Amino acid sequence: MSTGPRKRHGELRWGILFIFPWIVGFLVFVLFPLLFSLYYSFTNYNLIGSPAWTGIKNYTGLLSDNLFYISLWNTIYMVILGLPLHLVGALIVALMLSANVKGLAVYRAIYYLPSVIPLVAAALLWRWIFNPMFGILNAGLSHLGLPQPGWLIDPVWSKPALILMGFWGIGGSMVLYLASIKDMPKELYEVADIDGANWLQKILRITLPMISPIIFFNLITGVIGYFQYFTQAYILSATGYGSQMQVGGPRDSTMFYALYLYINAFRYFAMGKASAMAWILFVILMISTLVIFRSSARWVYYGGETRS
Amino acid sequence: MNVNGTMMKRVPTGLITRRKHRRIWGSIGKHLLLALVGAVFLFPFFWLVSTSLKSNQEIAIWPPLLLPKHPIWSNYRDAVLAFPFLSFLWNTLVIAFLNVAGAVFSSAVVAYGFAKVSWPGRNVVFFVVLATMMLPFQVTMVPLFVLFKSMGWIGGILPLVVPHFFGVAFYIFLLRQFYMTIPMELSEAARIDGANHIWIFSKVILPLAKPALAVVGLFQFVASWTDFLGPLIYLQNESQYTLQLGLQMFFGQHNAQWTLIMATATLITLPLVAIFLVAQRTFIEGIALTGIKG
């Protein structure tokens, strides 16, 4: 390979030529909006006229906004309760499927299928399933002699209902786990069999460490995704129609952060306040990601690495 | 074989059959469990279709009927006629088609610049591409709206389409991973023979990358078909609504007509289920590919 300065210079020009569309897109649709968002967060701006500088008023205003705390709490509830349940559920199904069963492809397709259907259709279907009067879920519970919560109309049960619905969509994470388990060298299990390890030991000592990079990946994307939880909450909580429409109920129990941000921006046209919320979300996500990255050195195992 | 043979002789036959039995029962148990969980996963689909074929009286019966006594197929006709379904379908298809074309082509070009051209600073810039994937949409949502508004694009499909023509980070990542598996010698040999990168890209890499491009096209189609937040923000007159937005609006107007709502939901779900069943391998391998970087 000739890598003279002229050649390298030529390659730089080619490189930039090929990624040029991305550079333009990045500047116009990502970087400038990001900076403008920061600027708007220090202004009062309702789309009419130009933004008026108000300093940190949007941020201090949020500190005394009750609904801001409620939406943050609802979101954290989903992140610390819904996400782990989702990840563990996906892992259990992947482990079940990895145990060399015939017809793996059929089972895998069944478990993945709900993940390809549109969120709006899925959410409306679950709204019908959760219906406290005529819903099939409460019919099943009553048949089993179990209590029948009001689900989406009960502030205590609305978030658990969303988590329950979330189990239906574990397919994406499950497929990643499964691919990673199937990639593991078979010898590891054979050695463990010779040593007389039982199935639980094999899972804890071999499978989990070997697929820890995927657990890490699912955790990071999951935290980012759950902090932006929006469509399901919007569809499942919407009541009324047109300008009378309300979302986030009952009693703000499904008012999630992204939903409240959306309402501030496109219902109240409080663009400055919405931007301040966006930047707070951005900072929370950066810190969470950083903490998970930092901790990963202790629990994520990359093949080829020797652990001391 | 020999080792097994000697082992067999030593173990009493009763133990072997017991072990064999245990294996068979274990396998039956496994299938039973998988099938049971599978039934739970399939049940909502069954309930979707079953409800869509019931009469308004039947959905109000307690306890609910598992199946309608006489399936009412006309629910589907009524659902399609109850709101501008065909117009929404057309809008969705136009957006999805443009997005697929834009995303596949632009991402294929950009990924080449990251995989097959070696230039200083390439890895740093690629890291920025990956970082943009983690950026929540909420952070750019408001300024993007202001930008599109200043261009007079709000209320039209351009805000939903144009950004896809500048490379989509996730697909750039996927395609770069794929290009990396194409031996470097192929492009380097052509380079030494005096071919330029445009020739190598279009004549060597693109033909080889067809399966990966299909994955990207498939992912983008599903993403455009199912998108809700984008159309919710940017589309303002009903004549331009997509199916997802239309279904939500329809629900708002006809709150209690669950049979028609489920019929419409079935109709907008069916194409995706069909695509998935046909292209299952492509789908699942494409998704497994996303986790590679770990």
Side-chain angles (χ1 to χ4, degrees):
Chain A
M1 263 191 58
S2 58
T3 44
R6 249 187 77 185
K7 179 82 196 266
R8 281 187 73 85
H9 192 65
E11 291 296 277
L12 176 63
R13 257 194 275 175
W14 277 114
I16 289 179
L17 182 71
F18 272 94
I19 71 159
F20 192 69
W22 177 81
I23 296 176
V24 174
F26 174 71
L27 294 178
V28 176
F29 301 122
V30 180
L31 189 63
F32 290 144
L34 188 66
L35 298 175
F36 267 94
S37 168
L38 185 60
Y39 165 65
Y40 289 152
S41 78
F42 294 108
T43 66
N44 183 8
Y45 184 35
N46 60 3
L47 288 182
I48 302 157
S50 46
W53 186 265
T54 52
I56 59 165
K57 217 174 134 196
N58 286 324
Y59 291 94
T60 52
L62 282 172
L63 289 181
S64 53
D65 178 352
N66 209 14
L67 209 46
F68 168 76
Y69 291 109
I70 292 172
S71 72
L72 191 59
W73 159 246
N74 286 338
T75 308
I76 288 173
Y77 182 105
M78 291 303 276
V79 172
I80 60 175
L81 204 65
L83 176 62
L85 286 172
H86 181 107
L87 292 179
V88 170
L91 185 61
I92 289 173
V93 172
L95 285 171
M96 271 163 50
L97 281 181
S98 69
N100 279 326
V101 280
K102 284 214 181 84
L104 165 78
V106 177
Y107 288 122
R108 190 179 55 185
I110 291 173
Y111 297 142
Y112 186 72
L113 196 57
S115 303
V116 297
I117 85 166
L119 272 182
V120 176
L124 285 174
L125 168 61
W126 279 91
R127 212 176 151 145
W128 175 230
I129 290 173
F130 283 130
N131 188 304
M133 300 250 287
F134 309 111
I136 187 74
L137 182 58
N138 276 358
L141 291 176
S142 121
H143 190 73
L144 296 171
L146 293 168
Q148 300 129 49
W151 299 112
L152 298 168
I153 56 163
D154 182 342
V156 177
W157 283 97
S158 55
K159 283 187 288 288
L162 293 177
I163 293 173
L164 194 63
M165 181 182 87
F167 274 119
W168 204 45
I170 58 174
S173 322
M174 183 273 291
V175 166
L176 287 182
Y177 285 136
L178 190 59
S180 159
I181 295 172
K182 288 274 164 198
D183 264 358
M184 287 169 48
K186 293 272 171 296
E187 296 81 48
L188 285 172
Y189 288 119
E190 283 161 15
V191 171
D193 281 335
I194 292 168
D195 288 348
N198 64 30
W199 64 272
L200 187 64
Q201 285 170 324
K202 278 190 271 186
I203 287 173
L204 292 179
R205 300 282 169 80
I206 302 173
T207 315
L208 288 187
M210 288 302 283
I211 64 166
S212 56
I214 296 297
I215 300 178
F216 173 70
F217 177 81
N218 278 339
L219 182 63
I220 294 263
T221 51
V223 167
I224 294 174
Y226 268 76
F227 262 109
Q228 297 177 57
Y229 198 85
F230 178 84
T231 302
Q232 298 92 317
Y234 186 99
I235 304 288
L236 284 170
S237 70
T239 55
Y241 160 63
S243 56
Q244 302 298 311
M245 203 177 93
Q246 298 283 327
V247 287
R251 264 188 272 148
D252 298 323
S253 62
T254 62
M255 181 60 87
F256 294 99
Y257 198 90
L259 195 53
Y260 189 46
L261 196 160
Y262 165 85
I263 289 170
N264 274 303
F266 299 108
R267 188 64 67 83
Y268 306 141
F269 297 104
M271 295 299 176
K273 183 179 174 186
S275 297
M277 280 190 75
W279 268 82
I280 292 172
L281 174 70
F282 190 34
V283 170
I284 291 175
L285 278 181
M286 280 200 289
I287 293 172
S288 320
T289 314
L290 202 69
V291 168
I292 300 171
F293 259 100
R294 277 282 174 83
S295 78
S296 71
R298 262 179 281 143
W299 62 272
V300 179
Y301 170 74
Y302 289 102
E305 231 173 64
T306 42
R307 274 208 291 192
S308 47
Chain B
M1 284 303 262
N2 206 3
V3 179
N4 275 343
T6 40
M7 289 264 290
M8 294 268 257
K9 266 175 216 158
R10 277 194 216 138
V11 184
T13 36
L15 196 61
I16 293 178
T17 40
R18 217 180 302 153
R19 248 187 223 164
K20 213 170 161 189
H21 276 194
R22 204 205 281 171
R23 214 178 43 228
I24 292 170
W25 281 114
S27 157
I28 291 175
K30 243 185 274 176
H31 276 283
L32 220 58
L33 188 65
L34 283 168
L36 198 73
V37 179
V40 172
F41 270 68
L42 284 180
F43 186 81
F45 287 106
F46 164 77
W47 197 238
L48 173 71
V49 178
S50 167
T51 307
S52 76
L53 295 171
K54 284 180 180 170
S55 68
N56 276 330
Q57 287 76 39
E58 277 175 320
I59 62 164
I61 293 174
W62 182 267
L65 297 173
L66 274 184
L67 283 166
K69 284 210 179 74
H70 307 285
I72 302 174
W73 295 100
S74 61
N75 277 347
Y76 282 85
R77 190 197 58 211
D78 295 347
V80 169
L81 295 177
F83 77 119
F85 183 87
L86 290 178
S87 148
F88 294 166
L89 174 66
W90 172 251
N91 296 340
T92 309
L93 286 175
V94 168
I95 292 171
F97 175 78
L98 292 172
N99 286 358
V100 168
V104 170
F105 183 71
S106 63
S107 306
V109 172
V110 173
Y112 182 90
F114 284 116
K116 293 293 171 188
V117 189
S118 33
W119 43 281
R122 185 176 78 167
N123 292 343
V124 179
V125 179
F126 187 64
F127 182 78
V128 178
V129 175
L130 295 183
T132 61
M133 279 201 278
M134 306 177 82
L135 192 72
F137 175 58
Q138 280 76 11
V139 185
T140 52
M141 186 169 81
V142 166
L144 280 178
F145 186 86
V146 175
L147 173 74
F148 293 137
K149 193 174 153 61
S150 72
M151 295 167 91
W153 285 5
I154 298 298
I157 65 167
L158 288 177
L160 296 169
V161 170
V162 173
H164 290 88
F165 281 78
F166 295 87
V168 178
F170 175 50
Y171 306 142
I172 295 172
F173 164 73
L174 272 188
L175 289 173
R176 175 187 173 271
Q177 298 300 93
F178 187 83
Y179 292 168
M180 299 291 252
T181 64
I182 300 172
M184 211 57 191
E185 291 81 43
L186 265 178
S187 46
E188 266 165 16
R191 198 89 178 100
I192 289 162
D193 289 346
N196 69 32
H197 278 295
I198 294 177
W199 190 89
I200 299 171
F201 170 68
S202 53
K203 298 282 178 226
V204 181
I205 302 296
L206 269 193
L208 288 173
K210 270 181 200 152
L213 298 177
V215 171
V216 169
L218 207 61
F219 279 8
Q220 182 58 52
F221 182 82
V222 173
S224 300
W225 182 274
T226 56
D227 187 20
F228 178 69
L229 181 55
L232 179 69
I233 292 174
Y234 298 127
L235 300 179
Q236 302 197 319
N237 21 17
E238 210 184 293
S239 65
Q240 280 169 330
Y241 276 11
T242 60
L243 281 172
Q244 308 302 325
L245 206 51
L247 178 58
Q248 159 62 21
M249 180 199 73
F250 180 63
F251 172 74
Q253 290 168 335
H254 306 266
N255 217 317
Q257 285 193 296
W258 282 105
T259 55
L260 299 192
I261 290 160
M262 290 298 112
T264 318
T266 306
L267 287 177
I268 68 169
T269 299
L270 221 51
L272 292 188
V273 171
I275 290 176
F276 173 69
L277 292 180
V278 171
Q280 210 201 110
R281 277 181 68 92
T282 318
F283 246 101
I284 287 181
E285 277 162 20
I287 290 160
L289 207 65
T290 35
I292 280 177
K293 70 168 180 177

